[in-house]
Amino acid sequence: SSVHQLSSHNVQIQLKTGNIRKVPGKTRRGNALYQIISASGQVRRTLQVDKRNGKVYEVVENADGDGYDSDDEEEEGGNSIRLGLGDFIFYSVLVAKAAIYSFTTFAACMLVILAGLGGTLVLLSVYHSALPALPISIFLGVLFYGLTRLAIEPWVENVMQTPLYV
């Protein structure tokens, strides 16, 4: 059993067998990489210690040979955008309720939900941090549901009843 210290954050790892070595000349996002070597000399894992907070992440190789952190979802998330199942449930309930009333209400709700998602994407690009996807879309969806149902739909019905001759 041996104890190893990684970086200046006093991160200590205790191994029953094997060793830890720093990967020379390789870094990931400016953080040093360490390999855990088994007693037989094989590389078992590659670790990265974050300079900012001292957290230790396992670096996993994908099929292309590029490494990504197993905890990227928490940290910086890469360049991916993910919507949870709950987001889709809220969107679908609102759009379904609007579709029951009329096509105009359905179309308005669908368009403002997409606009709200677009607004959330713009805010993501500005703030570079995780944001909830629901608030803007749901607020706009409910607002336009009420507006369309109370103001626009009666106006559309009135226009449809009045014959226009061109």
Side-chain angles (χ1 to χ4, degrees):
S1 175
S2 61
V3 177
H4 301 275
Q5 182 172 344
L6 306 178
S7 78
S8 61
H9 285 282
N10 294 325
V11 177
Q12 294 185 351
I13 296 178
Q14 185 172 3
L15 300 175
K16 292 181 181 179
T17 61
N19 201 356
I20 294 180
R21 74 170 181 216
K22 185 173 182 177
V23 180
K26 278 199 163 187
T27 61
R28 177 110 174 101
R29 295 184 183 150
N31 299 318
L33 297 178
Y34 299 88
Q35 291 179 332
I36 298 179
I37 311 298
S38 67
S40 63
Q42 294 179 328
V43 176
R44 297 193 49 134
R45 291 192 172 135
T46 303
L47 302 176
Q48 165 188 333
V49 180
D50 194 339
K51 288 180 191 176
R52 296 174 296 177
N53 56 20
K55 289 184 179 179
V56 177
Y57 300 103
E58 181 178 4
V59 178
V60 181
E61 298 290 327
N62 60 17
D64 299 335
D66 298 330
Y68 70 90
D69 301 337
S70 59
D71 290 337
D72 264 353
E73 299 161 6
E74 287 180 16
E75 275 302 298
E76 296 170 64
N79 291 328
S80 65
I81 297 170
R82 298 182 186 135
L83 287 178
L85 183 60
D87 298 330
F88 288 111
I89 289 173
F90 277 103
Y91 297 149
S92 63
V93 166
L94 180 60
V95 170
K97 180 67 175 167
I100 289 172
Y101 188 72
S102 72
F103 178 76
T104 308
T105 311
F106 161 76
C109 285
M110 187 67 158
L111 290 174
V112 297
I113 284 175
L114 292 174
L117 282 172
T120 302
L121 292 176
V122 168
L123 290 175
L124 277 171
S125 67
V126 170
Y127 290 112
H128 300 291
S129 65
L131 294 172
L134 282 176
I136 297 172
S137 295
I138 294 296
F139 174 75
L140 288 175
V142 169
L143 178 72
F144 274 80
Y145 173 79
L147 182 68
T148 304
R149 191 165 174 180
L150 297 175
I152 296 173
E153 191 64 33
W155 177 76
V156 168
E157 288 178 10
N158 190 19
V159 167
M160 296 300 283
Q161 289 176 356
T162 308
L164 295 174
Y165 299 104
V166 180

